[in-house]
Amino acid sequence: MAQEDVFKKLVSHCKEYGFVFPSSEIYDGLGAVYDYGQNGVELKNNIKQYWWQSMVLLHENIVGIDSAIFMHPTIWKASGHVDAFNDPLIDNRDSKKRYRADVLIEDQIAKYDDKINKEVAKAAKKYGDAFNEEEFRSTNARVLEHQAKRDALHERYTKAMNAGPDLDELRQIILDEEIVCPISGTKNWTEVRQFNLMFSTEMGSTADGAMKVYLRPETAQGIFVNYLNVQKTGRMKIPFGIAQIGKAFRNEIVARQFIFRMREFEQMEMEFFVRPGTEMEWFRKWKENRMKWHVALGMGEDNYRFHDHEKLAHYANAATDIEFRFPFGFKELEGIHSRTDFDLGNHQNLSGRKLQYFDPETGESYVPYCVETSIGVDRMFLAVLSHSYREETLENGEKRTVLSLPAPLAPVKAAVLPLIKKDGLPEFAQKVMDELKYDFNCQYDEKDSIGKRYRRQDAIGTPFCITVDHDSLSDGCVTVRDRDTMQQQRVPVAGLRAMLDGKVNLNNLLRKL
Ligand code: GAP
């Protein structure tokens, strides 16, 4: 099945099984805003817990906070978001549709890549084992022609983006490449304009009018403005980190790919404060640490890669993305940035408050440098779900849809199923529930055939189904079915808790870090 179709199926699966619903659906939805359902919220909470514990529990020098979404508007001046958090936009006069100019050009670059890949795939099929891809790419006339156009476009685009961006040049590239609006099919484009991504609203009302405040576009600034509070009250010594999980808001223009790019989303960010001059060493350590966190989930090392930034954000002296292989290709999952003293330095200047640290080891005072790790909860959720979703045909020809979620992240850890609804089996099964419910999120289900119940649990990724049958009443054992292998084993009820714990406890993941 084409990856695009898999993705469409995943989106409807998310709705059908209570993971993700379009927001305000009964009013036809709200663009790029989503709600999490009964299973989605459990998966999301487990992801957050995995991240939080890996930061705060496993590092003595990292503490957490929970800062407000509304903050003093000057914070966004200091952070650079008022002046520089912009996307270059262009409108098509015929369709009246608005696009990001940079995305239109990046899509055009991707088209050249597609053309090259198609030529390579065609040749690989034709020549079979004798095919030498490297040689083909460096000699085939059509591939070389596409590659030359692609490289020239990429170079021109990078230059335009690095020059401010140069809005006239971005428009000229769109015209020269003859990029058309996907809706109207015309090249009737407006000028390119900068558009700030922050949502604003008004707070309070005074005689002089209300104060304009922003919905935070990142949680990081809540950490920076509390740096001194935490350092002093926690008696933190550099190097130390502050972690936070919370909502962020961006008025994304190209909001697509489901929960990949949303207007309201959640971030897990950690700002690690270090002595100036040591930031590159910490940047490397955090790159390694964060990749380990991902790989421990067992979703395949080759589904991740680093992508170092050529064009650095206004606050960074080094930056990399951890990219994940989503159904629509490798895309950013997490950002790791060396933010220098940009944020604390600017807050010190604009607030007039000293944000320096006295280093007892060197006897110096300085504004600390900062290395940030920042990952979207929703994007992580999509990575986990898209990797786990599978449609299988079983040996007996039956089909099943299964979510092979990493067991510690699964919304429901075990389902307890009496084989039939009589003969004392439901009562026995309820006792099993009582034994397990304090440690694990379990579901009791006695409706429909056992096969249908298995399918329902497969579809929400429950790692274990525990069936109570007539023998259970006499031998005190139950049948435990494994979601992935579908193999079954008899387990004494008294041993269930330890068996499940060994498979689904979050600590099993944390111990790998
Ligand atoms: N404080 C740094 C910062 O916010 P970013 O690269 O803009 O950096 C960090 O965002 C992470 O937040 C991204 O890697 C992504 O996982 C997530 N993210 C950003 N914008 C998002 C959006 N519109 N929807 C969902 N997740 C988003």
Side-chain angles (χ1 to χ4, degrees):
M1 204 185 317
Q3 286 299 299
E4 234 169 69
D5 297 332
V6 175
F7 192 56
K8 273 191 200 144
K9 287 198 169 190
L10 177 69
V11 174
S12 42
H13 189 88
C14 278
K15 188 171 163 213
E16 191 180 342
Y17 287 95
F19 282 91
V20 183
F21 305 126
S23 162
S24 326
E25 199 187 4
I26 59 170
Y27 291 97
D28 295 333
L30 187 65
V33 186
Y34 291 90
D35 297 336
Y36 286 83
Q38 67 279 12
N39 289 316
V41 71
E42 296 288 344
L43 172 56
K44 203 174 178 214
N45 283 343
N46 292 340
I47 291 172
K48 289 197 267 186
Q49 221 189 344
Y50 177 38
W51 185 88
W52 187 264
Q53 299 205 352
S54 75
M55 289 291 175
V56 174
L57 205 72
L58 299 192
H59 295 95
E60 280 176 37
N61 59 350
I62 298 182
V63 292
I65 62 161
D66 181 18
S67 71
I69 286 171
F70 288 133
M71 291 193 272
H72 195 285
T74 310
I75 286 172
W76 304 110
K77 190 80 191 147
S79 69
H81 284 83
V82 169
D83 298 319
F85 196 52
N86 299 317
D87 275 345
L89 293 192
I90 190 164
D91 292 356
N92 182 272
R93 291 197 184 93
D94 300 321
S95 67
K96 310 266 183 279
K97 288 279 172 200
R98 182 164 286 178
Y99 299 92
R100 267 176 61 179
D102 54 336
V103 171
L104 285 179
I105 299 170
E106 280 170 16
D107 285 351
Q108 181 74 0
I109 294 172
K111 274 187 193 155
Y112 286 120
D113 286 334
D114 279 352
K115 282 183 188 166
I116 295 168
N117 291 337
K118 272 193 190 132
E119 293 290 346
V120 172
K122 221 164 62 188
K125 203 169 163 194
K126 187 170 164 192
Y127 296 114
D129 287 345
F131 181 60
N132 180 336
E133 182 175 333
E134 205 178 315
E135 191 185 320
F136 182 79
R137 280 181 183 271
S138 59
T139 54
N140 179 272
R142 265 200 301 270
V143 168
L144 290 176
E145 190 189 329
H146 294 317
Q147 190 68 47
K149 283 187 185 161
R150 184 224 178 266
D151 291 347
L153 173 58
H154 184 260
E155 196 185 327
R156 194 174 165 197
Y157 165 63
T158 311
K159 206 166 147 204
M161 288 302 285
N162 285 337
D166 181 339
L167 303 180
D168 291 338
E169 174 65 353
L170 287 179
R171 179 170 190 269
Q172 198 53 51
I173 294 175
I174 289 171
L175 296 180
D176 292 349
E177 286 287 324
E178 304 192 330
I179 296 173
V180 297
C181 164
I183 307 291
S184 66
T186 71
K187 290 174 256 173
N188 194 3
W189 296 110
T190 62
E191 300 304 304
V192 177
R193 287 169 297 114
Q194 287 285 42
F195 176 85
N196 194 285
L197 296 184
M198 281 196 293
F199 284 104
S200 64
T201 185
E202 295 191 337
M203 183 175 268
S205 63
T206 64
D208 303 332
M211 178 165 69
K212 181 177 179 180
V213 290
Y214 297 99
L215 296 187
R216 65 182 178 196
E218 61 170 15
T219 64
Q221 296 306 322
I223 295 178
F224 291 122
V225 296
N226 278 296
Y227 155 78
L228 204 58
N229 285 335
V230 175
Q231 192 270 319
K232 291 229 175 309
T233 57
R235 294 182 297 121
M236 309 300 289
K237 298 221 170 353
I238 273 184
F240 74 91
I242 305 178
Q244 168 158 239
I245 300 179
K247 289 272 188 172
F249 304 83
R250 295 181 190 179
N251 196 1
E252 299 281 4
I253 297 310
V254 182
R256 58 182 182 189
Q257 287 156 338
F258 191 37
I259 54 172
F260 183 81
R261 198 176 300 286
M262 303 157 87
R263 295 200 167 103
E264 175 179 340
F265 58 101
E266 220 168 343
Q267 287 185 316
M268 305 188 279
E269 300 202 293
M270 195 280 300
E271 309 299 325
F272 198 74
F273 299 99
V274 304
R275 189 181 292 159
T278 64
E279 72 273 15
M280 285 308 160
E281 182 194 326
W282 284 108
F283 178 69
R284 272 191 300 278
K285 280 191 185 156
W286 279 109
K287 267 177 80 167
E288 213 176 282
N289 178 297
R290 292 304 302 148
M291 187 57 100
K292 221 170 169 189
W293 183 88
H294 288 284
V295 171
L297 284 169
M299 301 202 302
E301 247 176 276
D302 31 326
N303 287 324
Y304 303 88
R305 68 181 187 196
F306 286 113
H307 171 243
D308 295 331
H309 289 205
E310 287 165 37
K311 181 181 185 291
L312 293 171
H314 58 275
Y315 49 73
N317 71 353
T320 194
D321 293 337
I322 294 180
E323 293 187 338
F324 181 74
R325 197 196 302 266
F326 287 95
F328 36 84
F330 270 103
K331 296 275 175 216
E332 175 187 343
L333 172 59
E334 168 157 8
I336 300 164
H337 312 115
S338 171
R339 293 180 77 125
T340 66
D341 59 353
F342 177 87
D343 302 273
L344 289 184
N346 280 356
H347 288 310
Q348 178 169 270
N349 290 342
L350 286 197
S351 69
R353 295 283 296 272
K354 257 195 162 185
L355 296 178
Q356 293 201 332
Y357 173 80
F358 174 73
D359 193 327
E361 280 179 33
T362 62
E364 285 172 314
S365 287
Y366 51 77
V367 175
Y369 269 39
C370 176
V371 175
E372 167 186 80
T373 75
S374 172
I375 175 168
V377 180
D378 314 84
R379 221 171 260 192
M380 185 62 199
F381 183 104
L382 183 60
V384 171
L385 261 195
S386 60
H387 179 266
S388 306
Y389 180 86
R390 275 206 319 268
E391 287 179 10
E392 291 179 349
T393 306
L394 306 180
E395 275 174 14
N396 62 5
E398 256 183 59
K399 293 214 175 353
R400 75 162 184 160
T401 303
V402 58
L403 288 183
S404 286
L405 299 169
L409 301 187
V412 178
K413 305 297 191 237
V416 182
L417 318 169
L419 191 60
I420 54 170
K421 243 194 293 183
K422 55 183 186 182
D423 301 340
L425 301 193
E427 291 76 11
F428 192 99
Q430 281 297 351
K431 279 197 194 129
V432 175
M433 279 293 287
D434 289 343
E435 170 74 14
L436 300 179
K437 72 182 180 194
Y438 298 98
D439 294 298
F440 313 104
N441 189 9
C442 295
Q443 228 174 50
Y444 175 83
D445 190 2
E446 58 176 27
K447 203 162 171 285
D448 298 321
S449 71
I450 197 76
K452 273 195 184 157
R453 282 181 270 168
Y454 282 162
R455 294 292 164 271
R456 275 203 289 272
Q457 296 300 330
D458 288 344
I460 62 168
T462 306
F464 298 103
C465 284
I466 299 168
T467 305
V468 173
D469 57 22
H470 289 92
D471 289 343
S472 307
L473 304 182
S474 53
D475 67 6
C477 291
V478 287
T479 302
V480 179
R481 171 191 177 267
D482 181 286
R483 173 196 67 198
D484 299 328
T485 63
M486 291 187 290
Q487 283 183 347
Q488 306 193 353
Q489 56 168 320
R490 288 297 275 180
V491 176
V493 172
L496 269 180
R497 195 135 53 95
M499 193 222 90
L500 286 182
D501 203 59
K503 308 271 186 190
V504 308
N505 196 318
L506 197 57
N507 289 348
N508 300 323
L509 279 185
L510 294 171
R511 282 180 200 286
K512 290 189 198 169
L513 301 179

